[in-house]
Amino acid sequence: MSQARLAPCLQLPLENKTLVNVIEKAKDWALMHGVGMRDKKHFNKDVIQIAPFILLPSPFPKTEFMKAVELQPVLNELMHKVAHDDEFLEQTLQNALQVDEFTANLYDIWLKVKNEGISQSLSLGLFRSDYLLQHPDGNVLKQVEFNTIASSFGAITSHLPNMSRYILRQLGHGDLIKNMPENRALSGLCSGIIEAFDLFGVLNAVVLFVVEEVSYNICDQRFHEFEISEKRPEIQIYRKTLNEIYEETELNDKKQLILDGHPVAVVYYRSGYEPAQYPTAREWDARLRVERSTAIKCPSIHYQLAGTKKVQQALAGPGVLEKFMGSGTSTSRVRDIFTGLYSLDFDESGERAVEMALADAERFVLKPQREGGGNNVYGSEVRDALTRMRHSRERAAYILMERILPPLVSGYMIRPGAPVPPPLVDLVSELGIFGVIIGTKEKIYCNRQVGHMLRTKLADANEGGVAAGLGALDSPYLL
Ligand code: ADP
Ligand code: MG
Ligand code: MG
């Protein structure tokens, strides 16, 4: 793998004494500004520790950053159209639905709600499009995936650049701060929830966050609540698990979702994107109840279905983008960010994709219809998995994606409890751009790009889950 380097913002390594000194400052800054998480190993609700972060902002090419920013409204609208094209969703997902129970359950809810008559035609999307740079092509942007549910870290990564700025000043390099872009992801994402609340337009209505049993990423979630409360003091926010929603809500005769005597205006899912979050039929019943209601869902279930890997792969097929977007320059700009994406359906093209991957497994990633990290298959395991699934319908639950080879950057990863000073390590960064959209099939009320996040992982890790300790929150330094 030829992976050249992007130059760091400062000459590295830092001298040891300086490094130890600024890390202590950075950690305290982080703790005192909510760059934190709850500890999975020694869980204690009263204790928040630093979220893993990168000490100095990581380099990212400015032109590619701007390209991602400019494309976001285009991608928002594309996904909105995809989500409202029933026939396309059905055709695209049909084979995966046969073998993927989770996606099938979501799809069944969608069918049920449609057959009963949709009681809320507005959807709210708080999206995040993720990218790696493809080094062999000259460090151009390639889309990793498009998240339509529970897109996280908008809040923490809105605060983090201020830490990087503080550290740069402490190191006597305040002049470099001009290369760090503003990030207003938190207020932008919250503005979407507030606008949806206003469109719902019912006095006394409330906002409901659907949360996990235990929220480890509590800072990121709570900041949304604080921000909304500050901007709109009258808006009450509840946090409930799907099981609590099952027990504590009901639909009234107007199909309003009633919680604690209040109609729910907006349901914001920070949970509900993976099978483990539906341990019993109660959670599915709760999801169905919410989807039947007049509440504006973030995301609505068809937005969630449009966010599947299978849809991402289908969009890369010949003529598909043109069907949704026409054949103008926007279409070719979107096509440019796609990397090779292949169906593994049980047909001729699926067969060809299997052959191609078996011949050169290292070139690909195998992805199931899952969210939240840790589900993909890499390297030689791609060959093992495809050999095992070759003659089984199970393979239709996956897509095959060309592996993106990002450039390396050097940096210091700061993790809770890790020895100080940490080694200078090779890292790779993944950029996420946040978007907000609100609309019905016929009309889009708002559509904008609202901010970014950078997540950086050890270069030799396949994935960079922040909670898993392989990834860390970061800020871009534009080159
Ligand atoms: P999830 O929805 O679980 O986050 P992703 O598609 O984002 O799924 O994959 C998880 C991680 O795997 C990404 O953050 C990235 O680090 C890595 N990854 C995914 N696709 C590719 C790819 N095509 N090339 C290289 N790395 C990838
Ligand atoms: Mg995802
Ligand atoms: Mg991802």
Side-chain angles (χ1 to χ4, degrees):
M1 273 188 226
S2 83
Q3 281 177 290
R5 281 168 193 282
L6 295 175
C9 68
L10 288 182
Q11 178 90 36
L12 298 179
L14 296 178
E15 193 246 322
N16 240 6
K17 208 167 130 204
T18 312
L19 183 60
V20 171
N21 181 27
V22 287
I23 287 175
E24 198 166 319
K25 292 184 189 194
K27 279 186 170 182
D28 285 346
W29 194 102
L31 273 179
M32 292 172 201
H33 294 80
V35 179
M37 283 185 132
R38 285 183 173 141
D39 186 354
K40 276 194 175 160
K41 270 199 210 121
H42 311 282
F43 180 72
N44 175 349
K45 218 172 178 177
D46 292 346
V47 178
I48 285 178
Q49 59 181 8
I50 56 160
F53 63 84
I54 304 297
L55 183 66
L56 297 166
S58 290
F60 202 92
K62 188 173 184 176
T63 46
E64 299 307 299
F65 180 86
M66 292 316 295
K67 196 200 280 180
V69 164
E70 282 158 20
L71 270 179
Q72 191 61 35
V74 176
L75 295 173
N76 290 345
E77 187 179 336
L78 169 65
M79 298 310 283
H80 182 85
K81 285 185 182 160
V82 167
H84 287 92
D85 188 328
D86 298 1
E87 207 185 21
F88 178 76
L89 281 186
E90 200 218 310
Q91 269 184 10
T92 303
L93 293 173
Q94 59 181 349
N95 289 328
L97 296 178
Q98 307 294 316
V99 283
D100 183 334
E101 195 189 341
F102 178 71
T103 313
N105 283 342
L106 293 174
Y107 194 80
D108 285 347
I109 291 180
W110 174 221
L111 283 187
K112 227 177 246 173
V113 172
K114 265 198 310 183
N115 289 337
E116 286 175 11
I118 293 178
S119 49
Q120 178 55 266
S121 53
L122 281 168
S123 297
L124 166 62
L126 301 182
F127 296 155
R128 199 188 69 215
S129 183
D130 289 341
Y131 305 91
L132 289 167
L133 294 167
Q134 171 73 319
H135 172 254
D137 298 349
N139 290 336
V140 294
L141 209 59
K142 290 290 171 189
Q143 186 179 49
V144 174
E145 64 152 346
F146 192 92
N147 292 291
T148 57
I149 183 164
S151 314
S152 60
F153 291 123
I156 297 183
T157 53
S158 293
H159 297 147
L160 192 66
N162 279 331
M163 184 208 72
S164 310
R165 292 183 183 106
Y166 166 64
I167 295 305
L168 284 175
R169 285 196 303 273
Q170 295 304 304
L171 290 167
H173 287 282
D175 55 311
L176 300 180
I177 289 170
K178 61 178 186 304
N179 300 321
M180 295 181 61
E182 279 299 325
N183 191 13
R184 301 191 200 284
L186 174 62
S187 63
L189 292 168
C190 291
S191 73
I193 296 177
I194 293 171
E195 264 181 71
F197 181 88
D198 289 339
L199 282 167
F200 190 75
V202 175
L203 220 64
N204 238 1
V206 297
V207 171
L208 170 59
F209 284 21
V210 183
V211 298
E212 318 93 314
E213 290 291 329
V214 179
S215 296
Y216 294 102
N217 194 11
I218 188 69
C219 297
D220 198 60
Q221 295 184 17
R222 283 285 189 206
F223 278 128
H224 290 257
E225 295 181 48
F226 303 158
E227 169 80 15
I228 293 168
S229 178
E230 210 152 286
K231 288 229 169 98
R232 294 288 295 272
E234 79 283 13
I235 300 180
Q236 290 295 330
I237 297 176
Y238 288 75
R239 296 171 61 81
K240 298 286 176 195
T241 63
L242 283 167
N243 187 42
E244 287 166 337
I245 291 170
Y246 177 84
E247 293 195 334
E248 298 174 33
T249 66
E250 57 182 20
L251 291 184
N252 69 9
D253 53 359
K254 289 190 275 182
K255 286 214 183 170
Q256 288 176 322
L257 183 70
I258 303 296
L259 170 61
D260 209 12
H262 299 277
V264 178
V266 180
V267 177
Y268 175 37
Y269 290 98
R270 289 297 296 243
S271 176
Y273 53 82
E274 63 176 22
Q277 292 162 341
Y278 299 82
T280 71
R282 290 159 70 99
E283 286 79 14
W284 284 112
D285 284 353
R287 180 76 196 252
L288 176 61
R289 192 184 306 157
V290 171
E291 298 302 321
R292 277 181 168 147
S293 78
T294 59
I296 299 173
K297 276 75 74 180
C298 176
S300 55
I301 204 148
H302 41 305
Y303 269 7
Q304 187 171 355
L305 290 168
T308 50
K309 311 289 190 278
K310 194 65 204 162
V311 165
Q312 183 190 5
Q313 172 259 306
L315 284 173
V320 181
L321 278 182
E322 285 76 6
K323 163 180 150 67
F324 287 106
M325 304 177 57
S327 51
T329 46
S330 291
T331 304
S332 51
R333 289 173 72 210
V334 172
R335 187 169 302 290
D336 280 351
I337 60 168
F338 289 171
T339 184
L341 286 152
Y342 307 93
S343 158
L344 292 172
D345 283 355
F346 232 72
D347 56 17
E348 214 178 296
S349 63
E351 209 52 49
R352 272 202 306 275
V354 172
E355 290 288 344
M356 181 175 66
L358 287 176
D360 197 358
E362 304 286 328
R363 261 185 60 209
F364 299 98
V365 182
L366 202 52
K367 296 186 170 190
Q369 309 307 308
R370 288 292 170 275
E371 291 300 324
N375 300 299
N376 300 338
V377 179
Y378 300 85
S380 62
E381 285 175 22
V382 170
R383 185 173 289 116
D384 299 345
L386 281 177
T387 307
R388 182 173 51 79
M389 291 191 295
R390 181 154 199 182
H391 303 294
S392 142
R393 300 189 74 82
E394 188 194 343
R395 78 181 204 207
Y398 291 79
I399 63 153
L400 186 70
M401 184 173 184
E402 204 178 308
R403 185 160 190 166
I404 307 165
L405 299 172
L408 302 177
V409 304
S410 301
Y412 297 105
M413 188 182 282
I414 313 298
R415 285 186 283 138
V420 175
L424 182 64
V425 283
D426 284 343
L427 302 164
V428 301
S429 295
E430 183 172 339
L431 176 71
I433 303 289
F434 291 101
V436 172
I437 189 164
I438 305 177
T440 65
K441 185 169 184 176
E442 289 77 32
K443 181 171 175 189
I444 291 176
Y445 289 80
C446 85
N447 174 13
R448 50 187 183 256
Q449 179 277 133
V450 297
H452 59 265
M453 75 130 181
L454 197 70
R455 192 177 28 173
T456 295
K457 66 180 182 186
L458 296 174
D460 51 12
N462 286 322
E463 296 196 20
V466 173
L470 297 171
L473 302 173
D474 198 351
S475 316
Y477 179 88
L478 300 183
L479 298 172

